[in-house]
Amino acid sequence: MALTETPICNFGEKAKDFMLPSTKNNKVSLKDCKGKNGTLVMFICNHCPYVKAIAKRLATDAKALQQMGIWVIAIMANDPKQNTEDSFENMAAVAQDYGFTFPYVFDETQDVARAYDAVCTPDFFGFNSNLELQYRGRLDESGRMPSSATTRRELVEAMTQVVETGMGPKEQIPSMGCSIKWRPKEI
């Protein structure tokens, strides 16, 4: 497990299109994900201890964002041959276990992760209603530790600001987690 941090937010960068299979046995595109007040695209996986530590909070915060008119989608781009816990079948189990109310899709080719320049799990991309990037930070400060009642909900706060102003916070703390498990390059 290589600990990786996300780069700083490239404000205004447009969301990249995709069409990926969901654990609900349908395909989901960016067009399907455009929320009235914003869109959150996040790269997660099943095996990463950073994702496991936040999965319940992530499900709760996603519901709060959805109530604000923000569409949420999670993309799993890891090569499941490197860790069988990241298989498509396990994605469906994880989505059900944590009560994900958003699509959980598989980027088997890793083309979408490369297009977004995703680097780790979790990696959050918060877009405004025009699909312009406004947030590339962390969920909250707790990382792999349990959160408390006083833990700032940084992702929710940032996306609330995006809903209200169309712009994300100027200062953002990078997300950190396990590096994406890239497929070996074909020779």
Side-chain angles (χ1 to χ4, degrees), residues 15-34:
K16 310 299 188 287
D17 201 7
F18 54 81
M19 175 69 77
L20 297 171
S22 163
T23 58
K24 299 288 187 189
N25 296 318
N26 63 331
K27 290 203 174 199
V28 180
S29 71
L30 178 64
K31 186 177 96 176
D32 300 326
C33 297
K34 187 176 185 295

Side-chain angles (χ1 to χ4, degrees), residues 75-141:
I75 300 173
M76 203 296 291
N78 279 353
D79 176 7
K81 291 179 183 170
Q82 294 185 43
N83 191 315
T84 57
E85 201 174 337
D86 285 335
S87 72
F88 189 74
E89 295 77 23
N90 283 340
M91 288 174 58
V94 165
Q96 184 168 343
D97 289 348
Y98 289 108
F100 289 172
T101 56
F102 48 84
Y104 191 18
V105 300
F106 184 34
D107 179 16
E108 184 175 13
T109 64
Q110 300 181 319
D111 291 343
V112 177
R114 291 185 196 290
Y116 276 77
D117 197 24
V119 296
C120 64
T121 57
D123 198 346
F124 301 99
F125 295 80
F127 297 92
N128 63 18
S129 61
N130 296 320
L131 293 175
E132 299 164 332
L133 186 63
Q134 297 298 318
Y135 188 71
R136 180 95 187 260
R138 62 189 184 180
L139 179 75
D140 62 33
E141 68 185 352

Side-chain angles (χ1 to χ4, degrees), residues 47 52 69 76 81 94-95 109-110 144 152 168 178-179 182:
H47 88 274
K52 286 180 176 182
M76 203 296 291
K81 291 179 183 170
V94 165
T109 64
Q110 300 181 319
R144 289 176 55 185
R152 270 188 64 220
C178 299
S179 62
W182 300 106

